[in-house]
Amino acid sequence: MDSQTSQPSPASPSPHTFQVDLRGLVDLLSHHLYSSPKVYLRELLQNAVDAITARCAEQPDAPATVRLHAEGGTLRVEDSGIGLTESDVHSLLATIGRSSKRDDGLESARSDFLGQFGIGLLACFVVAERIRVVSRSARTPDAAPVEWTAADDGSYTVRTLPHSDRPEPGTTVHLVARAGAGEWLSAERVRSLARDFGALLPYDVRVGEEPIADLPAPWDRSYPSPATRRVALARHCHDLFGFTPLDSIDLDVPLAGIRGVAYVLPSAVSPAQRASHRVHLKGMLLTERAEQLLPDWAFFVRCVLDTDSLRPTASRESLYEDETLAAVREALGERIRSWLTGLAAGDPERLAAFLSVHHLGVKSLARHDPEMLRTMLPWLPFETTDGRLSLEEFAQRHPVVHFTRTVEEYRQVAPIASAQGVGVVNGGYTYDSELVEALPSVRPGTVVSELDADTVTAHLDGVDPAEELALSPFLAAARARLDPLGCDVVLRAFHPLSVPALHLDDRAARHEQARADAEEQADDLWAGILGSLRGSAPRARLVLNHLNPLIRRISSLDDPDLIGTATESLYGQALLMAQRPLRPADSALLNRAFIGLLEWATHTDPGKDDRR
């Protein structure tokens, strides 16, 4: 007989039930799921609104009211919603993770409810030590009212009450604050939180006798004129976000159930700064820190909107990243894009005011959107040798659009290029070089060329060979002094005459210089490795202006030391004029040249009388 078949069959495991430490779960909620204890009030409002929604689905003429009363560290929240029977209480309130929206045929209509995760009253234990719920069912009018009382240690009691204790259907929740949390249940805090969370709720919600809803929403109201509407929205933005906007943009996406407005910031912000937007879900504030609502390029607006299609995360404090959110993000981006093109077509003054602050955001959009680049081409400002111009205007002036990739390169060549009639665009700012390179794709026939040191040197006039030969001792002394710095010396004639010297290099030369600096400071092993990486890239060059009177006087000197000191001074001055960062060797050179010139200027021949 098979030995395996002779063994006794293992016993079936007995099922067990999870044991939940309620205090540990409350700690988990308060420190990890929810960002602040204030969400307890949103959960209470949410449950009340969902209960009313459920009742109105069955009884359209039923009252739709929520009343909040705060006093002495206690809070009472009354609603005229669907209510609960005793079996509902045992099934729903005492079972963590169970949602009433899954029962009684309501699963198919869950999109009408705010709550989606069944956490419910559990969040109230973040601020309360005891919760008491009194409810009467509208579905079962003959059922007795029921009372459910729970403590934060996980214990609860359930009892039925006389009909006289709760004559009408609905639910009342009583909270008693836990030690140290009384401030969260104060009348002033409850009123503030209720206004914040429930300003767009479609029901009659009051704290005491004071309504908290502000309907219709500011963007849906009727106004006497567009100017009046702009003023009203500007006031709403100031109250909500604390700034007066440059403009407002309607965000209406009917297919996604979205209505709202985007407010344009009055001052520039960094593209890296994540914008925070306010999102309401079916009237209830979901979050005031939604960061993924708009495309990254739209960092110049702050939004507030109401939606019935986006999914909240488990904490209901942010949006769930899914295909719906991606589609909404694209649709809202298209609304902002349409607003920009509308300004370009019909309101250039407002567009100019906007671009003077937020041109960076539009450039970010235009580099990925040829149509936007084509539309914005006459308006986007760029730094050029002709002043601050649009690419369209600059291209009309110059048959070749030269540009530099860094601000340092632009500062090196701009004065000289301008004097030579060469137009240059500073492409060193964010997105600018990408947009210049994309210019031919939206403006056929435009020639774009990157400007480097060789191109600039080629535009400078050469010196007569005989004159340059006569100055060879001077050039040799100058080159010898700058050779340790990785810089050559060349002689050219160029305008403006006031510029004695020009420092030119390119990225390859800078990389080679950085490698050489690292090799000099490295140990033997790394020096050998870095030495093997030595390239054949051209070195930086100091271009001396033969037309400049100072250069002519220096080139006539006979003293090699004085020529070297003067060359170092010209080199340092050229670096400073180009606003290049100084290496330690450059700083030492400037100091040495300054001291050397002082010594030379104050030197007194001992053979002559000192008559000073």
Side-chain angles (χ1 to χ4, degrees):
M1 181 181 294
D2 189 342
S3 61
Q4 291 183 346
T5 60
S6 64
Q7 299 296 323
S9 301
S12 300
S14 300
H16 296 279
T17 302
F18 281 109
Q19 300 299 311
V20 178
D21 179 356
L22 187 58
R23 285 178 174 168
L25 188 56
V26 169
D27 181 73
L28 179 68
L29 289 175
S30 60
H31 290 94
H32 300 283
L33 182 61
Y34 294 128
S35 62
S36 166
K38 70 180 182 180
V39 296
Y40 88 91
L41 192 65
R42 186 197 61 201
E43 295 290 341
L44 289 174
L45 284 176
Q46 179 176 284
N47 287 343
V49 169
D50 283 344
I52 292 173
T53 302
R55 185 177 181 184
C56 290
E58 300 180 6
Q59 305 172 13
D61 297 332
T65 62
V66 181
R67 299 291 183 266
L68 296 91
H69 304 275
E71 183 179 0
T74 64
L75 175 64
R76 184 173 83 255
V77 181
E78 303 173 357
D79 69 68
S80 59
I82 195 70
L84 301 171
T85 62
E86 184 176 0
S87 62
D88 291 335
V89 166
H90 284 289
S91 175
L92 303 174
L93 297 188
T95 305
I96 295 173
R98 186 78 180 275
S99 172
S100 62
K101 271 72 79 176
R102 297 186 178 94
D103 290 72
D104 301 309
L106 291 176
E107 178 68 24
S108 61
R110 289 185 72 205
S111 62
D112 293 332
F113 298 93
L114 301 175
Q116 300 284 317
F117 299 92
I119 295 175
L121 289 174
L122 198 60
C124 294
F125 280 120
V126 174
V127 298
E129 66 177 8
R130 189 169 73 254
I131 303 174
R132 176 171 169 259
V133 178
V134 177
S135 186
R136 182 170 181 176
S137 175
R139 287 202 189 99
T140 313
D142 294 336
V146 60
E147 178 191 69
W148 176 83
T149 304
D152 61 1
D153 62 1
S155 63
Y156 71 93
T157 60
V158 179
R159 67 188 181 110
T160 57
L161 302 175
H163 283 77
S164 58
D165 284 9
R166 180 84 198 191
E168 299 296 331
T171 300
T172 302
V173 179
H174 303 262
L175 301 185
V176 177
R178 65 169 57 250
E183 191 268 340
W184 289 104
L185 270 62
S186 67
E188 183 178 354
R189 177 58 68 92
V190 168
R191 185 180 300 107
S192 174
L193 293 178
R195 285 174 177 168
D196 202 32
F197 285 120
L200 301 183
L201 288 175
Y203 301 129
D204 179 11
V205 183
R206 298 171 183 256
V207 177
E209 297 301 322
E210 181 180 345
I212 65 167
D214 187 21
L215 296 176
W219 51 85
D220 284 331
R221 296 173 190 168
S222 297
Y223 297 95
S225 67
T228 306
R229 186 175 190 271
R230 279 198 297 270
V231 170
L233 289 178
R235 186 182 306 113
H236 174 252
C237 176
H238 189 274
D239 294 341
L240 204 61
F241 293 114
F243 66 85
T244 300
L246 282 178
D247 208 344
S248 57
I249 308 167
D250 285 324
L251 302 178
D252 185 6
V253 187
L255 292 179
I258 285 178
R259 288 284 298 159
V261 63
Y263 293 117
V264 181
L265 292 166
S267 56
V269 294
S270 167
Q273 180 178 331
R274 300 294 294 180
S276 296
H277 311 289
R278 291 176 64 94
V279 177
H280 295 255
L281 180 61
K282 304 178 186 71
M284 180 75 74
L285 179 66
L286 177 71
T287 178
E288 54 190 353
R289 296 187 301 274
E291 295 182 348
Q292 68 274 48
L293 186 65
L294 295 181
D296 290 340
W297 55 261
F299 55 82
F300 50 83
V301 298
R302 296 291 180 269
C303 296
V304 54
L305 56 82
D306 189 22
T307 176
D308 59 16
S309 64
L310 299 178
R311 289 176 57 195
T313 58
S315 67
R316 291 189 288 277
E317 293 188 278
S318 59
L319 297 171
Y320 187 81
E321 184 67 50
D322 57 9
E323 292 182 357
T324 302
L325 180 57
V328 165
R329 185 186 299 120
E330 182 176 350
L332 295 179
E334 182 58 37
R335 294 295 182 274
I336 298 174
R337 184 185 290 107
S338 298
W339 170 77
L340 284 171
T341 55
L343 287 186
D347 200 339
E349 290 186 2
R350 285 171 66 197
L351 178 62
F354 165 75
L355 289 177
S356 67
V357 179
H358 295 299
H359 57 275
L360 198 58
V362 180
K363 287 180 177 180
S364 174
L365 171 60
R367 65 193 177 122
H368 296 303
D369 188 334
E371 188 58 37
M372 178 58 65
L373 177 58
R374 187 177 291 108
T375 301
M376 293 289 110
L377 205 57
W379 308 102
L380 287 174
F382 289 79
E383 183 179 357
T384 78
T385 49
D386 292 354
R388 198 161 180 81
L389 299 176
S390 69
L391 286 182
E392 174 68 27
E393 186 175 357
F394 187 81
Q396 291 174 356
R397 298 184 181 186
H398 300 277
V400 178
V401 177
H402 293 285
F403 74 97
T404 63
R405 291 194 181 276
T406 68
V407 175
E408 289 81 4
E409 290 173 348
Y410 177 80
R411 288 170 178 163
Q412 287 179 45
V413 305
I416 309 305
S418 180
Q420 305 300 316
V422 178
V424 184
V425 178
N426 184 355
Y429 297 115
T430 307
Y431 312 131
D432 283 9
S433 62
E434 297 175 69
L435 294 176
V436 175
E437 289 181 298
L439 190 56
S441 67
V442 297
R443 195 178 188 276
T446 303
V447 179
V448 173
S449 175
E450 182 177 354
L451 191 66
D452 56 21
D454 289 335
T455 305
V456 175
T457 305
H459 279 84
L460 305 180
D461 294 332
V463 178
D464 181 85
E467 291 189 60
E468 188 166 4
L469 181 61
L471 295 176
S472 56
F474 160 73
L475 292 174
R479 287 167 182 156
R481 184 59 66 96
L482 294 188
D483 184 68
L485 297 173
C487 183
D488 291 332
V489 177
V490 296
L491 190 64
R492 292 290 187 273
F494 56 86
H495 292 273
L497 300 180
S498 58
V499 177
L502 178 66
H503 182 271
L504 293 178
D505 64 0
D506 53 24
R507 286 184 299 280
R510 287 195 293 274
H511 291 163
E512 173 62 18
Q513 183 60 54
R515 185 210 58 77
D517 291 343
E519 180 182 359
E520 184 178 333
Q521 299 175 12
D523 56 28
D524 292 341
L525 173 62
W526 279 108
I529 295 174
L530 292 170
S532 68
L533 299 177
R534 183 180 296 110
S536 59
R539 305 204 305 172
R541 68 203 70 173
L542 182 67
V543 184
L544 302 179
N545 187 0
H546 188 54
L547 301 180
N548 180 267
L550 176 61
I551 296 298
R552 287 184 174 273
R553 288 196 297 270
I554 293 176
S555 63
S556 65
L557 296 174
D558 296 326
D559 185 346
D561 289 337
L562 184 55
I563 290 175
T565 300
T567 303
E568 288 178 338
S569 299
L570 291 169
Y571 173 84
Q573 188 263 353
L575 287 180
L576 295 175
M577 290 297 294
Q579 300 184 40
R580 290 289 306 278
L582 299 180
R583 300 170 296 163
D586 297 331
S587 299
L589 174 144
L590 277 172
N591 183 64
R592 182 172 65 248
F594 178 72
I595 297 299
L597 289 177
L598 282 179
E599 290 179 347
W600 177 80
T602 58
H603 176 72
T604 302
D605 189 338
K608 296 183 179 180
D609 294 334
D610 186 356
R611 300 180 180 179
R612 288 174 296 175

